[in-house]
Amino acid sequence: MYDVIIIGGGPAGLASGLACWKAGLKKVLIVERDQELGGILNQCVHSGFGVGIFKEELTGPEFAQKFIDELRETDVEVMLNSMVLSLNEDKSVEVIGPDGYKKLQAKAVILAMGCRERTRGAISIPGSRPAGVFTAGLAQKYLNMDGYLVGKRVVILGSGDIGLIMARRMTLEGAKVLACVELMPYSGGLPRNIQQCLKDFDIPLYLNHTVVDIKGKDRVEQVVVAEVDKNRRPIEGTEIVYDCDTLLLSVGLLPENELTKQANIKLDPRTKGAIVFENMETSVEGIFACGNVLHVHDLADNVAKEAEKAGEAAAEYIRGNSRSDKVVEIHNGNGVSYTVPQHIHYPATNNIDVLFRVNKVFGKSVIEVVDAKENLIAKFKREFIVPGEMEKIVLPKVLLDKAEGDITIMAKEVV
Amino acid sequence: MYDVIIIGGGIIGCAIAYYLSFYNLKVVLLEKENDVSCGTTKANSAIIHAGYDPKPNTLMAKHNVLGSKLTKELCEKLDIPYKQCGALVVGFTEDDLNTINQLYQRGLDNGVEGLEVLSREEVLKLEPNLSDEVKGALWAKTSAIVSPWEYALALAEVAVKNGVELKLNSEVKSIKKDEFFTVETTSEKYNGKYIINAAGVHSDDIHELIGKKEFTIKPSRGEYYLLDKSEGSRCSRTIFQCPNENGKGVLVSPTVHGNLIVGPNAESSEKDDVSTVASSLDFVKNNALRSIPSIDFRENIRNFSGVRARSDRNDFIVEESKSVENFFNLAGIQSPGLSAAPSLALEAVNWLKGKEELVKKENAVDERKRLKLKDLSDENKNELIQKNPAYGKIVCRCESITEGEILQCFDTVIPPVSIDGVKRRCNTGMGRCQGGFCGERITNILIDKLGIKPQEVLQDKEGSNIINSLAKEEH
């Protein structure tokens, strides 16, 4: 019997595992499907990791190594090349690995499975179906793990961070990135990546554009791009044809919640992750979620912080400290596309961190938190908010205690 | 000198090779691509039709009904994914209900078993996700779903084990006839007494390499959605709408792999153009939603299209060429071609029997098994993993396919040469991530097992290379 089984050995799994250990749990297991720990960090050879936690700029593997080194000093168990095939509400899992097929039982489970990339199929890009259409992460894996460059003339659809990073990475490897094309009127990536990965390399970014056709019999020969109207439908006559051999897709990430669904855990259709309380506990007691399986983050540092919270909460749960049964829901008001957590145990035990994203670009604005009686609970000023960058507010316990009923978070531009 | 040269390694060519492999004949199967099942066979609805649809006394009716029975037997014998899930033809209007009654009668005329006309209540009880607009349905209990590429592959594998020579990457360029045929491919020449033409959409071109124009293939493309397994239980049976002049209409069906397939439309196209078009996909989507309004198309994982080898004769062409003796055409094999395949192949065998006496081979094998870890008991899984830990290492996470299962397909008589070849043999990359996670692993397995350079790894056909160059190689 394990205290905690952590599903996934990426940044969320590593940080939550360490937090469990530090909180005094002795039987902690991390199950990782790959042959080494670190998850997606292993292929992120660019720097920019660690600023929030370690106060230094690290590459992905360096960031992971810090956790792995620390983990080596503990008795946290790690199963590599092993995959959880099923998860039950009673916290039992089925695992397959080189040692065999096993059923394991834990007192608590932490979901840290990460996310996957949306594919060509997910957005139904029409055209022929040649080789040369890759998700940006797969192209990144080929390049950074194997040293294989997938193409020399590249168009990138979507301006998510992996696509932006790959625009720079492939350029540095001698490929010509012809354009980055974004369906929305704003980029989904971090502003710093737009600057450092596109602008610094003179790679044009076309907002309100999409790929309307892929041509080529066996390998991509051309990609046709067109402007879209307000309803995001292509406008005839605006087509631009690129002669290229590669189309990279950076069109969004999807939390990998197949196991979560098996355990009958409630999901939030907006995050596509579990609905959680402020301690990262899901709708099933004793099962916690953190990192990209919960909601897609833009910084691994934030993943690690969230994961620590999940690890600590799992330890608290095992010790039998349950939180209040009274629940306050956080609703999404104007401009807010989702929040994590979605629920708060009331009264709150501490100040509550709320992470959220906005659904459009905001200039100078205020974020308002109101209760069910529309009393203003708290107010936060911002100079600039973009959908590509996760926002965080801290709701002080003293103010929350005054709230009546559910609360709503909204963003308002200040004119 | 070959007795028989089969041209085309789709389901028809593979079925012929399979049946001929039980006789003392020297047979070669010529396929232009680098694998069997690369054309229409791998891109269709994957339905084994019951046989109520074709008009009575047509070749389509005869071979559909016979073929679907034979298919069931073959799939059981050769471990091919197959499920007799049944089909419903649903009607939304009074006219549709008339059509349903006609189809029922036609089915009886064609000798189809297990047909029943259902009321609105009965059909909604069977399939609660069907639209409220449904007024009634025809239930065809013998309709089935199958893995078409594995079907063709299994037949070809048995044929090869029994001595049929399979020549891949062998596009036929010319056919000459003296005493016997000389078939020239891109790489070699083959002499043979008989030719069986199973070249699908190119069967007219192949025939006309030596014969007069006797039929014309008028390719008709159909486009599809393949949805995630999360949508796989929207229906338990294949849901058809009433057929019209454009064919059987848009269907919604579970697949043997647990996904939901939606399609096809019908549109004229070039023979090898398997593109998809936004307006056609919209048409497919909107029609499918008429049957099952709750289908969540955001769960789509892949679009594809396939080209029907429709001919100008409106029926299968199953006959010796009128202009070339000893040349047998199996052409115009559009739907229900997959269902009819074994029956059509036997027709070719019978034709050959009329030409000369065929002697059964001794010691021919007629079995084939594919080890699927998923299907084993917990105990047997462990036993296998203890013996070979590769069976414990999941490579394709969406479909839970292990390294051991991937490696074993390289030890079969028709090993894969591409990422899609591996996919067709062990389902890797078929899931929701579409190879985003496992593609790189499979690439490296191909490099290792085939002894090729990274730049030589193919996605599918020749020319579909994945890797352009090695990093820092040439700037």
Side-chain angles (χ1 to χ4, degrees):
Chain A
M1 167 78 103
Y2 286 94
D3 288 329
V4 184
I5 291 175
I6 297 164
I7 308 175
L14 289 168
S16 62
L18 272 174
C20 287
W21 181 260
K22 285 177 188 167
L25 298 182
K26 295 294 171 212
K27 288 283 287 173
V28 180
L29 170 68
I30 299 178
V31 185
E32 166 54 43
R33 40 192 165 193
D34 216 330
Q35 52 200 359
E36 55 189 338
L37 290 168
I40 208 70
L41 291 168
N42 290 325
Q43 69 185 61
C44 299
V45 301
H46 53 282
S47 70
F49 297 85
V51 181
I53 290 189
F54 302 113
K55 310 294 173 214
E56 58 178 321
E57 265 206 50
L58 304 168
T59 64
E62 288 169 341
F63 181 83
Q65 199 60 44
K66 291 242 179 199
F67 289 96
I68 295 168
D69 288 345
E70 215 181 318
L71 203 72
R72 287 229 175 91
E73 303 296 315
T74 71
D75 291 330
V76 171
E77 261 183 74
V78 175
M79 280 173 72
L80 294 176
N81 288 308
S82 299
M83 192 169 122
V84 173
L85 296 175
S86 76
L87 168 67
N88 203 297
E89 270 173 276
D90 67 4
K91 274 83 85 181
S92 64
V93 298
E94 290 176 290
V95 184
I96 190 169
D99 298 335
Y101 172 86
K102 299 172 190 171
K103 285 184 177 144
L104 304 174
Q105 178 71 49
K107 294 175 194 161
V109 170
I110 298 178
L111 308 173
M113 293 90 80
C115 60
R116 65 171 179 271
E117 297 177 281
R118 289 176 85 206
T119 62
R120 177 179 180 180
I123 52 173
S124 287
I125 306 174
S128 62
R129 292 174 297 121
V133 181
F134 302 90
T135 56
L138 178 58
Q140 185 181 47
K141 193 171 190 183
Y142 275 124
L143 187 51
N144 294 345
M145 305 298 279
D146 300 304
Y148 307 155
L149 188 64
V150 294
K152 279 287 170 72
R153 290 177 63 84
V154 184
V155 170
I156 300 178
L157 175 62
S159 57
D161 286 312
I162 312 173
L164 300 176
I165 295 285
M166 282 310 288
R168 176 174 65 185
R169 186 77 184 92
M170 290 190 76
T171 305
L172 292 173
E173 287 296 340
K176 174 80 184 158
V177 178
L178 301 160
C180 180
V181 178
E182 170 60 57
L183 179 71
M184 302 300 285
Y186 50 82
S187 163
L190 289 170
R192 78 169 187 211
N193 283 336
I194 303 275
Q195 181 62 45
Q196 294 170 7
C197 300
L198 295 183
K199 288 188 181 159
D200 290 357
F201 292 91
D202 294 325
I203 298 167
L205 170 65
Y206 292 100
L207 299 174
N208 295 309
H209 279 70
T210 194
V211 170
V212 292
D213 200 5
I214 296 171
K215 295 182 182 190
K217 194 166 174 288
D218 300 311
R219 175 83 196 194
V220 173
E221 289 164 23
Q222 286 181 329
V223 164
V224 184
V225 166
E227 196 178 340
V228 295
D229 62 21
K230 273 186 221 152
N231 302 317
R232 295 182 218 149
R233 300 292 288 189
I235 303 169
E236 231 174 290
T238 62
E239 292 85 0
I240 316 168
V241 180
Y242 290 97
D243 293 324
C244 58
D245 57 24
T246 302
L247 174 65
L248 290 193
L249 303 176
S250 180
V251 291
L253 300 168
L254 295 168
E256 288 247 82
N257 275 302
E258 281 65 36
L259 291 172
T260 319
K261 286 181 203 162
Q262 278 181 20
N264 296 318
I265 292 168
K266 283 190 191 126
L267 296 183
D268 183 338
R270 292 159 299 199
T271 56
K272 299 194 164 49
I275 292 174
V276 288
F277 290 93
E278 74 287 350
N279 60 346
M280 302 298 125
E281 190 170 23
T282 65
S283 61
V284 173
E285 256 185 50
I287 300 185
F288 301 81
C290 54
N292 281 353
V293 77
L294 180 59
H295 61 133
V296 177
H297 294 62
D298 29 61
L299 295 174
D301 292 74
N302 291 339
V303 168
K305 285 181 199 161
E306 187 174 276
E308 278 168 21
K309 215 181 280 181
E312 286 160 11
E316 189 185 305
Y317 167 79
I318 288 167
R319 287 200 203 94
N321 300 342
S322 62
R323 298 200 172 188
S324 155
D325 283 345
K326 201 177 161 206
V327 177
V328 163
E329 279 189 43
I330 304 180
H331 297 291
N332 301 331
N334 174 57
V336 173
S337 52
Y338 76 74
T339 68
V340 169
Q342 295 88 341
H343 293 171
I344 299 172
H345 290 108
Y346 188 85
T349 46
N350 294 98
N351 296 345
I352 306 277
D353 293 348
V354 178
L355 302 175
F356 66 96
R357 283 181 195 271
V358 289
N359 57 20
K360 65 182 183 98
V361 177
F362 284 85
K364 198 172 174 165
S365 42
V366 288
I367 296 151
E368 289 184 357
V369 182
V370 299
D371 68 7
K373 298 260 168 74
E374 293 190 18
N375 300 315
L376 185 67
I377 303 292
K379 196 167 156 176
F380 305 84
K381 286 184 183 157
R382 290 288 188 276
E383 287 304 311
F384 189 58
I385 328 177
V386 292
E389 200 159 10
M390 195 150 70
E391 283 295 324
K392 177 177 146 179
I393 53 175
V394 182
L395 299 179
K397 175 177 160 50
V398 285
L399 297 179
L400 266 177
D401 286 346
K402 290 182 198 158
E404 292 188 49
D406 292 349
I407 61 171
T408 301
I409 297 179
M410 61 190 91
K412 284 181 183 167
E413 213 145 6
V414 180
V415 191
Chain B
M1 177 76 163
Y2 291 93
D3 292 305
V4 184
I5 298 171
I6 304 166
I7 302 173
I11 187 65
I12 302 296
C14 291
I16 296 163
Y18 168 78
Y19 284 119
L20 289 181
S21 79
F22 297 106
Y23 297 96
N24 278 321
L25 291 169
K26 201 167 151 53
V27 179
V28 64
L29 172 58
L30 303 178
E31 165 55 47
K32 77 180 161 93
E33 304 298 349
N34 60 13
D35 201 354
V36 296
S37 180
C38 279
T40 309
T41 300
K42 74 162 184 186
N44 57 77
S45 307
I47 309 290
I48 301 301
H49 296 282
Y52 54 78
D53 190 55
K55 293 205 177 79
N57 305 317
T58 57
L59 291 171
M60 277 185 180
K62 174 183 165 193
H63 293 293
N64 182 349
V65 176
L66 269 172
S68 86
K69 283 184 189 149
L70 291 167
T71 303
K72 188 178 182 187
E73 292 165 20
L74 284 171
C75 289
E76 276 164 17
K77 188 158 59 180
L78 304 180
D79 194 21
I80 299 156
Y82 169 97
K83 190 179 173 196
Q84 201 160 55
C85 62
L88 293 166
V89 185
V90 298
F92 301 102
T93 63
E94 287 303 317
D95 277 357
D96 283 354
L97 294 183
N98 288 334
T99 307
I100 283 167
N101 284 325
Q102 282 164 17
L103 289 175
Y104 174 74
Q105 193 51 52
R106 203 189 275 178
L108 295 183
D109 293 348
N110 289 346
V112 180
E113 292 160 15
L115 292 178
E116 210 176 301
V117 176
L118 302 179
S119 68
R120 173 191 147 83
E121 288 69 29
E122 287 168 326
V123 62
L124 285 174
K125 207 171 156 194
L126 284 182
E127 295 288 351
N129 288 331
L130 281 176
S131 161
D132 277 350
E133 309 283 312
V134 166
K135 289 200 159 62
L138 174 68
W139 186 12
K141 292 171 196 169
T142 60
S143 184
I145 51 181
V146 73
S147 169
W149 51 87
E150 192 165 341
Y151 183 14
L153 189 67
L155 294 170
E157 280 176 356
V158 174
V160 169
K161 279 187 209 157
N162 287 332
V164 170
E165 292 175 41
L166 170 64
K167 302 288 181 183
L168 299 169
N169 297 310
S170 298
E171 182 173 355
V172 172
K173 290 292 180 190
S174 77
I175 302 173
K176 292 194 178 71
K177 194 181 178 197
D178 243 323
E179 264 173 85
F180 45 78
F181 290 103
T182 301
V183 175
E184 201 173 343
T185 68
T186 31
S187 50
E188 265 181 85
K189 274 185 187 171
Y190 301 88
N191 297 324
K193 288 200 271 185
Y194 302 99
I195 287 179
I196 300 177
N197 174 15
V201 287
H202 293 288
S203 51
D204 53 350
D205 307 325
I206 291 294
H207 179 245
E208 283 156 37
L209 284 175
I210 182 157
K212 292 201 178 104
K213 185 180 262 311
E214 294 178 19
F215 59 91
T216 304
I217 297 296
K218 298 163 110 184
S220 164
R221 186 170 65 195
E223 303 190 17
Y224 292 87
Y225 287 85
L226 187 70
L227 281 79
D228 191 275
K229 287 180 180 167
S230 59
E231 291 293 304
S233 48
R234 284 283 167 200
C235 51
S236 315
R237 296 160 191 80
T238 304
I239 310 296
F240 293 97
Q241 294 173 2
C242 282
N244 56 33
E245 62 279 8
N246 289 321
K248 295 186 186 71
V250 173
L251 64 85
V252 180
S253 179
T255 72
V256 284
H257 305 104
N259 300 83
L260 191 77
I261 190 169
V262 174
N265 67 329
E267 60 199 3
S268 299
S269 69
E270 297 295 316
K271 287 182 172 178
D272 295 311
D273 183 0
V274 287
S275 306
T276 56
V277 181
S279 56
S280 306
L281 290 175
D282 282 347
F283 170 87
V284 167
K285 185 198 281 187
N286 293 332
N287 271 281
L289 289 171
R290 235 185 121 208
S291 296
I292 303 184
S294 56
I295 300 169
D296 184 357
F297 279 91
R298 284 172 303 187
E299 294 293 310
N300 184 44
I301 60 173
R302 191 178 185 82
N303 292 107
F304 68 91
S305 69
V307 181
R308 303 173 182 90
R310 183 181 56 166
S311 80
D312 53 358
R313 288 203 205 163
N314 245 342
D315 199 0
F316 293 150
I317 297 163
V318 191
E319 61 192 28
E320 185 168 356
S321 163
K322 295 186 176 64
S323 50
V324 193
E325 204 189 349
N326 295 341
F327 187 113
F328 196 77
N329 284 314
L330 273 168
I333 313 297
Q334 58 169 318
S335 179
L338 181 66
S339 321
S343 178
L344 291 168
L346 284 173
E347 200 76 359
V349 176
N350 283 335
W351 166 74
L352 212 58
K353 280 181 178 164
K355 295 278 182 181
E356 50 186 275
E357 197 182 339
L358 301 189
V359 181
K360 280 266 186 185
K361 204 179 269 177
E362 279 174 40
N363 305 325
V365 299
D366 194 9
E367 58 181 12
R368 172 242 183 219
K369 196 98 189 119
R370 186 181 130 206
L371 188 152
K372 279 167 260 170
L373 199 80
K374 263 195 260 187
D375 298 348
L376 299 181
S377 69
D378 297 359
E379 204 174 300
N380 290 346
K381 272 181 200 155
N382 265 322
E383 205 174 294
L384 189 64
I385 297 167
Q386 302 311 291
K387 259 188 249 162
N388 182 356
Y391 285 100
K393 287 188 199 168
I394 301 266
V395 171
C396 167
R397 46 174 91 171
C398 304
E399 300 295 316
S400 303
I401 309 296
T402 63
E403 191 178 71
E405 290 166 279
I406 296 167
L407 293 176
Q408 76 188 6
C409 75
F410 288 90
D411 297 329
T412 58
V413 289
I414 312 174
V417 297
S418 68
I419 291 181
D420 286 358
V422 175
K423 176 181 176 176
R424 286 190 287 272
R425 283 159 181 80
C426 45
N427 299 5
T428 49
M430 271 185 50
R432 50 182 68 96
C433 91
Q434 287 288 295
F437 287 116
C438 65
E440 183 254 9
R441 293 281 296 277
I442 312 267
T443 294
N444 284 319
I445 289 173
L446 284 166
I447 290 169
D448 183 44
K449 295 299 284 187
L450 305 179
I452 55 174
K453 292 186 197 153
Q455 299 95 309
E456 292 168 333
V457 174
L458 300 174
Q459 179 70 47
D460 190 9
K461 297 180 178 182
E462 294 300 317
S464 66
N465 302 57
I466 298 274
I467 310 297
N468 175 283
S469 49
L470 300 185
K472 307 287 186 193
E473 188 185 51
E474 39 185 306
H475 277 200

